[in-house]
Every structure is written in structure tokens, then in C-alpha cells.
Amino acid sequence: MAIHPLRLWRWRRGGGQDRVIIALGFTILLLTVVSWLRESPIAGGLRPPAGSSHPALVHLTLLRNAKKKGAVCLDGSPPGYHFQRGFGSGKDCWLLHLEGGGWCNTVASCASRKMTALGSSVYMERQVPFDGILSNVPSQNPDFYNWNKVKIRYCDGASYSGNVESGIQNGTKLFFRGQRIWKGIMDELLLKGLANAKQAFLTGCSAGGLATFIHCEDFRALLPKEVTVKCLADAGFFLDEMDISQRRFIRSFYDDVIRLQERNFGIAPQGWNHLRQCFFAHEIVKNIDTPLFILNPAYDVWQIQHILAPESSDTQQSWQRCKLNIHNCDSNQIESLQGFRVALLNSLSDFQHNRNGGMFIDSCFIHCQTISNITWHSPNSPKINNKTIAEAVGDWYFNRREVKEIDCAHPCNPTCINLDLAQPWPGPK
């Protein structure tokens, strides 16, 4: 039988438990988005163009000497990445993509997570398709198709950033080593040719988008000053906003993640309020000098699900249909969504004046948009000023023009791909 994504999200209810399973919702949503874009009809009943090339399948590489380095997943297994060599004009160019998939905020949720690919390489697919920004097909990825491309798997539960020496947490075997995973994989890639790069691009989606904000300056520091280094965060600009019950649900959740993983940003672990700021992109960008591109939908599906209208604040379930499909939202809910969009634009107001920065803020009801050929670059892609996301990012990276694209408010953009999560998910039967 087909699996409905939200049915899996709602297996338990309640305020505290709601925060515990937030990572599961994030992961399932991300998988649903990718599957839906690959296999389901999209807005207007369109489908991917006939005859499009199949994505390349790229093998998993496990980090060498991971245990000796202490750079291990939640369960103690070595982390991994998928690496495809560049060719032609792209042989000295590198694009790295940080996988997303939510966070865990308690020992229990992290222990559950280590039994999945998001906490253990034991469960990771040995081959993954390279779509979207990772595609090696020129028509699908015109500017980066022949670059060296790396997809870094996510298995630490805290956006590649925790650093706890002990492997035992409250009697449970758990390793919080995101910082070491980041360093270990970067060191290995440098030996494989990244050190000789002439151009480099760090990207990431969702929790990996947040990790891109966190590690952008670290990535810049790995390479000589004459190398062109830039970063792209896709759907990683999570807002510190009140939800429909006037609570700051996401702030409370991030506090739990920080306390659990003892975040290490080069400052003493004191003052949780200060550390929390390092988990919100609007604060992190203040300290990023490396050229940065921010890609976000104004009506991010996951943020609407878990920041604006989390289940613990929607006790009457009045938002359930709206959260499945933006076309189901009533006038009051649309007003709340427009307010959420305004909050995003206000948070980005200073960044708009960053002369090295780029932006693409479309008005679509979706989440990640770089990981699918359809949303990244196809005849059916979302566009602003007649430019796809891939075209806008390429124009910005190669300095062909200034890119500060901000879409008009919903429902003005007919090119938007808006998810309909009420459709049966075309996943495992």
C-alpha cells in the first residue's frame, strides 16, 4: 500500500514528544519531496520531460581510519561520501553537497536515528543517484555538470557540528562527532584533489543547508586565497519565529540539540542563548565573508509544518489540510503564511545589501530545490524573471550578473512547483 508521509509523522502526539520526532518528520518530508518530484505529477499536471537522461549512480566511499580519528557516525560506524570525478574544463573544479535530514535532540531520538542511514553508514545506500546540482548531464546542470562532485552523507544529527569526547550518553552508546566528520572528510578530499582546486563550491540542503552556513568560512580556509570559493545554502534559513500559539517551538528544540551535542563554535560552552544564535542562519551570516548564495522558498513546507504550525500548537488540527497543500489554506491561514514570508524577507534585509551575496527566494510551497532536476533546471522549473534556479546560481557564481531575486507573494508565480502531500507518496509499496 502507498504510504502517506504525514501518517508517519503523527504516530505520537504531545508537546514534548512532538519535539522528539521532529527529525523524523524532517527526514520523511525530504524523502517525500525527492520521490514526489521524480515520480509524481507536478503543478499543472506536468511531468518531467520525456527522454530525460537517467542520473548517474555514484558509489559510497567510507572515510579511512575514521575510528582512529574519532570521526564516526552516531553508532560509531565510519561516515561516508559519494565522489564523482570531474572531466574536461571541470577537472580542477569541485562542488561539495552536504546532505540534510533534520536533527535529534534527545538520547532516545538519537538512539533511534542511529538505526537509520542518518545515524549509521551500515544503513546507507551503496549507490545514490546524482540529480539536480550534482547531475553530470549538461542540459540538467549547465554550469557544473563536469565538475568534481561530492555528496557528503549526514550521520551525526546536528548539522555536522557536535563534538563530544565521550561515546556513552546516559548509558547509551552514542557518538556526537559532527565536527570531526567534517574535518576528516575534508582532509581526505584534499588528498584526492580538492587541494588543487581552482574553483570550489560548498552547497547543502535542509540541515545540510544550515551546515553550509556553519562551515562556509571553514571551507574557505581550506584553500589558497587565489582560489574562487563560494557557498550555497538551500532551504537552510530556518526562522526563529513564534508559532500559531505564540510559542517559539523551534528555539526550544534547538536548545535541546545544543545541550545534547555540546556545540563547539570555537567559544566556551557557556550561555545557551549565545550558542543558540549559532544555529540560526540570520545570526551566522553576520560572520560570513565568503560569497554566499541563499536559496529558500518563502513558504517552506517543513518550516510551516514545524515552526509556524507544529502539531503541539495546532491542538484542533485546523492546520492539517493547509499543511498538506497550500491551496487548502483558508484566508486566515494565508494571512499567517504571508506574515511568515515577510518575516523571512525581514531577516534577509541586511543580506540584500551584501554585494557578494546572491539570493533566490521563490514563492513556492516546497522544501529543497537543488537536489531534483525538475526544480533545479528543467522546462518545468520554478522561475523568477524567467531564470531557473540553476541559471540564477550560475550567473551569480560566475559573476555574469548580480542576483538578488525575490518573488512576489503567493499565488502570483505560475511556474511554482507546489507540493501536494495529500497525494499518496509513490514510495515503497
Side-chain angles (χ1 to χ4, degrees):
M1 59 181 289
I3 301 173
H4 191 296
L6 289 192
R7 194 169 297 147
L8 295 178
W9 299 2
R10 295 188 205 132
W11 66 282
R12 294 166 74 180
R13 295 290 305 278
Q17 292 172 330
D18 197 14
R19 290 207 306 273
V20 170
I21 65 172
I22 193 171
L24 285 177
F26 198 127
T27 305
I28 293 164
L29 174 62
L30 189 56
L31 293 174
T32 302
V33 169
V34 176
S35 296
W36 193 90
L37 287 171
R38 283 181 184 159
E39 303 181 42
S40 288
I42 60 176
L46 298 174
R47 291 183 181 273
S52 59
S53 299
H54 291 293
L57 293 175
V58 182
H59 290 279
L60 177 69
T61 299
L62 298 180
L63 179 66
R64 294 177 59 190
N65 300 318
K67 292 185 179 180
K68 182 178 180 181
K69 299 172 183 176
V72 293
C73 299
L74 289 171
D75 71 333
S77 62
Y81 58 90
H82 304 261
F83 175 33
Q84 184 180 60
R85 283 279 181 191
F87 58 93
S89 61
K91 64 183 178 62
D92 294 322
C93 304
W94 287 71
L95 188 149
L96 279 58
H97 184 81
L98 298 172
E99 183 182 34
W103 313 272
C104 55
N105 68 322
T106 66
V107 169
S109 63
C110 291
S112 295
R113 190 181 181 95
K114 75 176 185 178
M115 303 302 292
T116 74
L118 289 169
S120 170
S121 59
V122 173
Y123 300 98
M124 291 177 185
E125 309 94 312
R126 265 36 198 176
Q127 291 181 319
V128 298
F130 270 23
D131 278 318
I133 198 170
L134 294 174
S135 174
N136 64 351
V137 179
S139 63
Q140 298 170 351
N141 192 20
D143 283 307
F144 308 107
Y145 72 94
N146 63 348
W147 284 32
N148 295 281
K149 293 185 290 291
V150 185
K151 179 175 182 176
I152 299 172
R153 302 302 295 269
Y154 178 35
C155 66
D156 70 281
S159 289
Y160 309 84
S161 62
N163 191 9
V164 180
E165 184 64 36
S166 174
I168 303 296
Q169 314 300 329
N170 294 343
T172 300
K173 181 182 176 182
L174 279 173
F175 296 87
F176 299 139
R177 303 285 178 78
Q179 287 275 8
R180 300 188 197 188
I181 291 172
W182 162 264
K183 184 179 186 305
I185 291 180
M186 290 303 110
D187 287 347
E188 189 159 299
L189 293 176
L190 287 168
L191 294 174
K192 289 190 173 186
L194 177 60
N196 300 317
K198 294 179 180 177
Q199 297 182 103
F201 200 9
L202 179 66
T203 75
C205 151
S206 287
L210 175 59
T212 301
F213 285 115
I214 292 171
H215 288 295
C216 184
E217 290 297 280
D218 298 333
F219 187 62
R220 165 69 276 184
L222 294 174
L223 299 168
K225 291 182 179 180
E226 62 269 19
V227 178
T228 299
V229 178
K230 299 188 179 185
C231 304
L232 161 65
D234 175 12
F237 202 95
F238 299 97
L239 295 180
D240 182 19
E241 288 295 309
M242 289 186 179
D243 64 23
I244 55 175
S245 67
Q246 301 302 300
R247 295 187 305 138
R248 292 188 183 271
F249 175 84
I250 192 64
R251 179 184 292 185
S252 177
F253 180 82
Y254 278 165
D255 281 349
D256 292 342
V257 175
I258 291 165
R259 288 187 174 95
L260 184 66
Q261 296 245 7
E262 295 182 15
R263 300 267 307 121
N264 181 357
F265 281 92
I267 56 176
Q270 59 186 358
W272 294 112
N273 288 338
H274 180 56
L275 283 174
R276 179 204 297 140
Q277 293 175 350
C278 300
F279 231 54
F280 283 108
H282 68 268
E283 292 292 339
I284 304 173
V285 295
K286 297 175 182 178
N287 298 305
I288 296 178
D289 294 322
T290 302
L292 172 69
F293 194 100
I294 297 176
L295 166 63
N296 245 74
Y299 310 96
D300 186 294
V301 172
W302 190 89
Q303 294 201 51
I304 291 168
Q305 293 277 354
H306 294 292
I307 296 180
L308 179 61
E311 288 206 1
S312 59
S313 295
D314 184 27
T315 56
Q316 301 301 312
Q317 298 189 24
S318 60
W319 275 78
Q320 291 305 316
R321 292 185 69 250
C322 176
K323 292 191 294 185
L324 290 171
N325 185 330
I326 195 170
H327 298 297
N328 294 336
C329 302
D330 62 32
S331 58
N332 290 330
Q333 290 166 339
I334 289 293
E335 184 177 353
S336 295
L337 294 178
Q338 303 298 20
F340 199 73
R341 171 181 177 271
V342 170
L344 172 64
L345 298 183
N346 286 342
S347 293
L348 290 168
S349 58
D350 288 341
F351 185 77
Q352 290 183 46
H353 303 292
N354 183 326
R355 64 185 183 87
N356 293 320
M359 290 172 49
F360 193 101
I361 310 298
D362 58 35
S363 289
C364 305
F365 184 69
I366 199 165
H367 191 46
C368 289
Q369 298 180 90
T370 58
I371 56 177
S372 164
N373 294 330
I374 299 175
T375 46
W376 174 244
H377 187 67
S378 80
N380 302 325
S381 292
K383 298 179 179 67
I384 304 178
N385 292 327
N386 205 35
K387 291 280 189 175
T388 66
I389 296 168
E391 289 170 333
V393 170
D395 286 349
W396 168 79
Y397 189 94
F398 295 103
N399 300 317
R400 294 192 287 252
R401 66 182 178 97
E402 181 180 6
V403 179
K404 296 284 196 331
E405 305 289 9
I406 298 178
D407 210 352
C408 48
H410 173 83
C412 71
N413 190 339
T415 70
C416 263
I417 293 174
N418 296 315
L419 294 183
D420 181 359
L421 297 175
Q423 292 186 16
W425 178 35
K429 298 295 192 288

